[in-house]
Amino acid sequence: MIIIADSGATKTDWRVIDKGVVIDELQTIGFNPYFVSSTEIKDALEKELFPFFDNNAVEKVFFYGAGCSSEQKGSIVSNALEDFFLNARIYIEHDLLGAARALCGKEKGIACILGTGSNSCLYNGTDVVENVPSLGYFFGDEGSGAHIGRIFIKAVLKNELPAEVKSAFDAKFGLSFEKILDTIYKKPMPSRFLASFAEFINQNINQPYLQDIIRNCFRDFFDNQLTKYTGYKEVPVHFLGSIAFNFSSLLNEVSSEYGISLNKIVKSPIAGLVEYHKSDE
């Protein structure tokens, strides 16, 4: 029995595979080691995974997580998993490699993530060979939910929204100027708060003002990340993540501006990772 996990800033998708068949699909909170400790991960595993299957029967765990690019941060996750899966070999990898394996398989390509945060890489079919640093929501994360939310909330605070959009926003959220700033500057995980407004934008995407926000954020991603890769017009380009998936028509529109034809656009990498690891059981 093997376990495959894909963990982002908000949630972790788990798949339990036995004899090449997915026998369980589970979900827990996100386990980004920049935001959670080994103790918090252990507590979540005990509450959200332990009741559903025999963890002692698991032989391998392939965990792909945001924030797991360094050995130090990856150890926060691996320490918790090793205490939970006592008989399993634990493999901790960055979510970017997971995206590349899920989207490209064993073929060369560019893999892009547009979710709460953003990232990208050039993949040679085995390893990530180029990676433009994402830099997080404060300095980068272009095209992500956090980036889109930041641009949108800035317009809210500066009273720049069209009247119809402002009316819909106020009716849905009822957030004061002070409440917004307090949440961003004083409460944990402001990137999640900012990214949460992408759903409202998607629900009102018929508004040209909101379409322009999305287009411009995607252009920032292409300018600052995708076009930096060697031969970016000569290899397949794939996207995954809720932002890429929900705004795929605008993403395709912007990619055409750059002379790039997109291949896969999927919401989650988990199905691709299951396919990639079936032979590892």
Side-chain angles (χ1 to χ4, degrees):
M1 185 183 294
I2 68 171
I3 298 279
I4 299 169
D6 170 65
S7 185
T10 306
K11 62 180 177 62
T12 304
D13 285 320
W14 302 81
R15 296 294 183 269
V16 184
I17 301 175
D18 190 18
K19 296 180 177 62
V21 177
V22 175
I23 62 170
D24 217 337
E25 300 182 3
L26 303 165
Q27 193 172 94
T28 65
I29 62 169
F31 292 155
N32 188 322
Y34 281 91
F35 303 129
V36 295
S37 65
S38 290
T39 300
E40 289 172 312
I41 295 172
K42 290 176 188 176
D43 289 343
L45 292 171
E46 291 286 346
K47 294 174 183 176
E48 301 178 52
L49 282 189
F50 184 76
F52 297 101
F53 60 89
D54 180 7
N55 52 310
N56 291 317
V58 177
E59 299 173 349
K60 297 178 184 177
V61 176
F62 298 93
F63 184 97
Y64 296 91
C68 293
S69 56
S70 71
E71 185 176 344
Q72 179 187 12
K73 291 300 181 183
S75 67
I76 294 174
V77 179
S78 63
N79 289 341
L81 294 178
E82 285 168 3
D83 285 349
F84 187 74
F85 298 103
L86 298 176
N87 301 318
R89 293 182 64 181
I90 310 295
Y91 301 88
I92 306 292
E93 301 286 359
H94 193 257
D95 64 339
L96 190 56
L97 179 59
R101 288 178 171 177
L103 291 169
C104 306
K106 294 178 170 58
E107 303 295 326
K108 185 176 181 179
I110 294 175
C112 306
I113 303 173
L114 293 182
T116 300
S118 71
N119 212 334
S120 60
C121 69
L122 177 63
Y123 174 74
N124 66 3
T126 304
D127 300 305
V128 171
V129 291
E130 292 182 24
N131 170 228
V132 177
S134 172
L135 302 181
Y137 79 96
F138 192 86
F139 290 111
D141 267 354
E142 294 89 358
S144 70
H147 179 214
I148 290 166
R150 179 165 57 83
I151 300 300
F152 174 73
I153 288 299
K154 182 178 178 181
V156 170
L157 296 174
K158 288 181 171 289
N159 199 29
E160 295 175 348
L161 293 181
E164 188 174 350
V165 177
K166 185 179 187 306
S167 177
F169 176 82
D170 290 340
K172 184 174 180 66
F173 297 104
L175 291 171
S176 66
F177 187 96
E178 293 76 14
K179 176 69 173 177
I180 292 173
L181 291 183
D182 185 67
T183 302
I184 291 172
Y185 289 112
K186 293 185 177 180
K187 295 189 176 180
M189 301 184 184
S191 61
R192 289 190 190 178
F193 173 72
L194 292 170
S196 69
F197 296 104
E199 181 180 356
F200 170 81
I201 294 173
N202 192 32
Q203 292 169 348
N204 295 273
I205 198 59
N206 59 312
Q207 295 288 335
Y209 183 89
L210 298 180
Q211 293 177 16
D212 284 342
I213 286 179
I214 300 297
R215 288 190 188 95
N216 288 332
C217 287
F218 286 165
R219 289 176 185 129
D220 284 344
F221 177 83
F222 277 68
D223 289 337
N224 290 281
Q225 289 210 40
L226 204 157
T227 58
K228 304 296 185 183
Y229 292 109
T230 304
Y232 69 91
K233 288 187 177 182
E234 300 165 7
V235 297
V237 177
H238 313 279
F239 278 81
L240 68 78
S242 58
I243 298 300
F245 185 80
N246 290 329
F247 299 104
S248 60
S249 61
L250 292 173
L251 182 60
N252 273 300
E253 182 182 318
V254 170
S255 71
S256 295
E257 295 176 11
Y258 288 78
I260 298 170
S261 179
L262 303 187
N263 286 261
K264 297 176 186 174
I265 302 177
V266 300
K267 192 171 186 178
S268 167
I270 196 67
L273 287 172
V274 167
E275 191 63 31
Y276 184 89
H277 283 293
K278 273 185 177 179
S279 62
D280 289 313
E281 191 177 6

